Amino acid sequence: VPPPAGGWEDELSKEPQRSRSMSIDSNGTDMSRCESVCDTEEEYDFDDDDARSVTSETAVRRPKSAHDYESALERLRAKDPHLKHIMLRGCKLGDEGVIELANALDGGFKGLKKLDLAWNDMTEKGCRVLCKALAGCKNLTCIIFNKNSIGDKGAKAVADLMKPEPKITKVELIGNKIGEKGATLLVEALMKNKKIKRLHLGGNEVGDAGAKQLAELIMKNVALRQVFLAHNGITDKGAKMLAHAMKVNSKIDELDLFNNTNIGEKGAKAIDDAMNNPIWFVRLPNQQTTAGLIGSLT
C-alpha cells in the first residue's frame, strides 16, 4: 500500500478505508494519512413549502452547503433552514473573518451540521469566540479546524464546546500547534462523551505525555473508534501506553501513528501484540518488521 502520489493535503477530502488498523510511518513530512473526513450527504434540500404544491420533479432544490464566505454570512443572517454545511476551507479568513462568522450565528444556528474552517489563519482568539457561538448549534456533528494556529488555548475552547456532550461525532484539529496541555484538556472533555467517534490530532506536538492522556481516553471511552496521532513526537514509550489502551478497548478501529520517527521496534511490537484482529497495514520507520506485522513499507 504505497503512499498517495499527492501531498497529504490532497488526502483531506478522501474517506479512509474502514477496518481495524494501526499505522506507523516516517515517510518524510507529507503526512499522507492525515486526511479529513465528514460523511458526504446530498448537496441539496427540497424546499418543504414548495414541495407541498409541486411534484418532486419540479420542487425547488436549495443547496445544503455554503462554499464561499459571503454566501455563508448571508444565509446565516437570513436563518436559512436549508443550510447544513459551511465549507470554507482555505479562505484565509483570519480571526476577524472567523469572528464575523461567529457573530452571524447569533446565539446558535440549529440546522448547522458541519463546519470546515481548515487553512484559515485562525488563532486561539478567533477559536474562542467561534466555539462560544457554536454552543448554540445543537445539531453540529463535525468540526474541522485543520491547519490553523489555535494552540492549547484554542484546544481548550474546543474542549469546552464538547463538555456538554453535544452531537459532535468528529473533531479534526490537524496541524494546530497543540501540545500536552491541549491534549489533556480535550481528553478531559471527551472522557465521558458518548457521541465522539473520530479524533484527529495529526501534526501537533502532544508527545509521549499527550499520548499517555489519549491512551486513558481510548481505555475509557468505548464510543471512540478512530484516533489519529501522526507526526506528534511520540516515541516507544508513548506507543507502549497506546498499545495497552488497545488491549483494554477493542472497539478502536484505527490508531494512526504515521511519521512518529522515534517509534522503534519495541513500540511497534507492543502495538502488534495488542491487536486483537488482523492488522490492515503497518509502516515502520527505517527498520525490519517485527513478528506478526504484515510488512514494512518504508
Side-chain angles (χ1 to χ4, degrees):
V1 184
W8 70 270
E9 292 92 343
D10 296 336
E11 291 297 295
L12 284 175
S13 61
K14 295 181 180 179
E15 180 72 16
Q17 298 183 44
R18 289 288 180 261
S19 63
R20 181 164 166 77
S21 62
M22 204 296 300
S23 38
I24 304 172
D25 184 43
S26 61
N27 212 17
T29 58
D30 64 351
M31 293 172 63
S32 58
R33 287 288 299 163
C34 286
E35 67 275 359
S36 165
V37 173
C38 277
D39 298 333
T40 58
E41 295 184 12
E42 291 297 322
E43 186 68 13
Y44 293 89
D45 261 347
F46 282 109
D47 186 309
D48 293 336
D49 293 330
D50 292 336
R52 293 191 187 100
S53 58
V54 295
T55 65
S56 60
E57 288 79 10
T58 59
V60 176
R61 290 168 66 83
R62 296 181 179 177
K64 286 185 176 183
S65 301
H67 293 275
D68 69 271
Y69 184 57
E70 294 302 326
S71 173
L73 288 177
E74 179 182 356
R75 296 180 69 181
L76 283 173
R77 290 166 177 162
K79 305 295 184 185
D80 184 348
H82 303 279
L83 180 60
K84 308 295 183 185
H85 315 149
I86 296 177
M87 315 298 283
L88 301 179
R89 176 174 299 178
C91 291
K92 304 297 181 184
L93 301 179
D95 285 335
E96 183 178 353
V98 170
I99 290 171
E100 186 174 2
L101 189 70
N103 291 337
L105 288 167
D106 191 25
F109 190 84
K110 293 182 179 180
L112 186 63
K113 291 184 177 182
K114 302 175 184 178
L115 177 62
D116 184 348
L117 292 182
W119 285 286
N120 268 291
D121 300 325
M122 177 172 59
T123 71
E124 53 90 10
K125 178 182 177 182
C127 188
R128 285 202 312 266
V129 177
L130 179 61
C131 287
K132 286 181 180 179
L134 290 174
C137 300
K138 301 301 183 182
N139 290 306
L140 190 65
T141 62
C142 178
I143 57 175
I144 303 173
F145 293 167
N146 299 336
K147 298 299 290 183
N148 287 290
S149 299
I150 68 173
D152 288 340
K153 291 182 179 179
K156 181 182 185 304
V158 176
D160 290 342
L161 175 63
M162 300 295 294
K163 282 181 179 178
E165 196 175 335
K167 294 183 178 180
I168 298 173
T169 61
K170 300 170 185 176
V171 177
E172 304 198 358
L173 303 173
I174 300 170
N176 266 288
K177 302 178 181 178
I178 296 171
E180 174 196 352
K181 184 176 180 180
T184 299
L185 291 167
L186 289 167
V187 166
E188 290 174 353
L190 294 173
M191 193 64 77
K192 296 182 179 180
N193 188 297
K194 297 178 181 179
K195 300 291 185 180
I196 189 70
K197 295 185 181 299
R198 176 184 176 94
L199 178 62
H200 207 322
L201 294 177
N204 285 291
E205 304 160 1
V206 306
D208 286 337
K212 179 181 180 181
Q213 298 298 322
L214 288 156
E216 289 289 328
L217 177 63
I218 290 172
M219 284 191 288
K220 296 181 180 180
N221 191 327
V222 295
L224 193 61
R225 293 291 185 270
Q226 298 173 311
V227 180
F228 293 78
L229 298 174
H231 204 62
N232 263 287
I234 297 171
T235 71
D236 280 342
K237 180 179 179 181
K240 289 178 180 179
M241 289 184 281
L242 291 165
H244 176 68
M246 294 289 286
K247 288 183 177 180
V248 175
N249 181 5
S250 62
K251 300 291 185 180
I252 293 292
D253 293 324
E254 190 164 3
L255 174 64
D256 186 347
L257 293 174
F258 269 39
N259 289 309
N260 287 285
T261 59
N262 290 318
I263 294 180
E265 187 171 350
K266 291 181 179 179
K269 181 63 164 61
I271 295 277
D272 182 31
D273 291 343
M275 300 302 291
N276 296 320
N277 294 316
I279 300 174
W280 175 27
F281 66 89
V282 174
R283 298 199 285 187
L284 301 177
N286 302 319
Q287 65 182 54
Q288 297 298 317
T289 59
T290 57
L293 299 182
I294 290 178
S296 174
L297 301 179
T298 57

